[in-house]
Amino acid sequence: VGAPHEVMQAWRGVDIKAAIEAVSRWPVYVCNDATGACAAELVFGNGNHYLDFLYVFIGWFIGGGVVLSGSLFPGRSGYAGAVGPLPVPTGAPNGRLRFQQLLRSASTYTLERRIKLAGGDPRAVWESPEDWSAIEPYVEEWIEAIAGDLALAVVSAVSIIDFQAVVIDGAFPTSVRNRIVARIRERVCEFDQQGLSPYTVAEGAIGAGARAIGGACLPLLAKFARDRDVLFRETL
């Protein structure tokens, strides 16, 4: 995405947990940010409505999490439901179908790039997650561009695990979330869904702060959740 390679590589050797423990007297927990956002949705959002759901958070990079039987399911390495690496088609030059990862089409950094290429000011994307009026001319095109790939992700996920719902949230205004979910609902109808049980494409309830709120939930989950041993075991 254009970040300096040497800067990004430097973070690979950083033990964030140990660094924070060195300056804090409180227990420190480490969790993938989208999994944390999923925890916030489970505790404060749609957890009361659905026992099994895929959670999708559209941030700078798209990510997600999984809830099964009312409990957060992080998977063996903590990245269950990540969705970003999911392959989606990009076209078929010379008759050969090509793919890219979902994160390269349905992340907000792609909106920033659209705005820059058009000569606009993209700062509202990250500076004003509750007000995108300044970039509205670009938002509708972006929603249309990502909806098809997100619909593919929805149908693929439901085909593998019998989710009751796929919950969509992100770092953008509520009105944009409304429009994204409405368009995904339209696009999933274009797929042959014979053999799938009924499911819902639902809006998340937390919004841009879901990852931080989910992080704040971690101590509660660590002490009191049914799935604490699964969530906080050492990853492989």
Side-chain angles (χ1 to χ4, degrees):
V1 297
H5 179 73
E6 63 278 6
V7 174
M8 298 301 293
Q9 284 296 113
W11 280 100
R12 289 185 178 274
V14 175
D15 186 338
I16 295 177
K17 184 175 186 292
I20 297 176
E21 285 176 333
V23 297
S24 172
R25 63 189 180 91
W26 302 104
V28 178
Y29 302 95
V30 176
C31 185
N32 173 261
D33 62 341
T35 303
C38 184
E41 188 67 35
L42 173 62
V43 176
F44 298 113
N46 281 286
N48 291 329
H49 303 295
Y50 309 111
L51 285 175
D52 305 289
F53 63 88
L54 172 68
Y55 174 83
V56 177
F57 189 90
I58 305 170
W60 192 249
F61 299 119
I62 191 171
V66 171
V67 170
L68 296 177
S69 301
S71 296
L72 193 64
F73 177 75
R76 65 181 179 86
S77 60
Y79 291 96
V83 303
L86 184 75
V88 293
T90 61
N94 302 318
R96 183 175 181 180
L97 190 62
R98 293 186 178 180
F99 296 87
Q100 66 180 0
Q101 290 191 333
L102 181 64
L103 68 85
R104 296 192 179 276
S105 67
S107 299
T108 57
Y109 86 84
T110 63
L111 173 59
E112 184 210 46
R113 284 187 171 178
R114 283 174 173 269
I115 297 170
K116 283 184 174 180
L117 287 173
D121 184 351
R123 286 180 296 177
V125 174
W126 62 85
E127 290 183 355
S128 305
E130 298 303 328
D131 181 11
W132 278 7
S133 57
I135 55 173
E136 177 54 38
Y138 310 100
V139 173
E140 186 59 33
E141 293 180 358
W142 177 70
I143 292 174
E144 184 60 31
I146 69 176
D149 289 345
L150 288 168
L152 174 60
V154 167
V155 175
S156 299
V158 175
S159 299
I160 296 171
I161 297 180
D162 192 18
F163 289 116
Q164 291 176 277
V166 177
V167 178
I168 309 292
D169 208 348
F172 36 57
T174 301
S175 60
V176 173
R177 183 177 67 204
N178 298 158
R179 291 154 63 188
I180 290 173
V181 170
R183 191 68 182 108
I184 293 172
R185 288 170 177 166
E186 294 172 352
R187 295 300 301 269
V188 296
C189 293
E190 299 173 5
F191 290 86
D192 182 354
Q193 300 186 65
Q194 184 176 358
L196 297 183
S197 299
Y199 62 90
T200 301
V201 180
E203 290 188 44
I206 311 299
R211 292 165 294 185
I213 292 171
C217 288
L218 295 183
L220 294 174
L221 293 174
K223 296 295 183 182
F224 305 111
R226 292 181 298 174
D227 53 345
R228 65 173 305 278
D229 290 334
V230 174
L231 183 57
F232 295 101
R233 71 185 179 189
E234 291 295 323
T235 56
L236 300 178

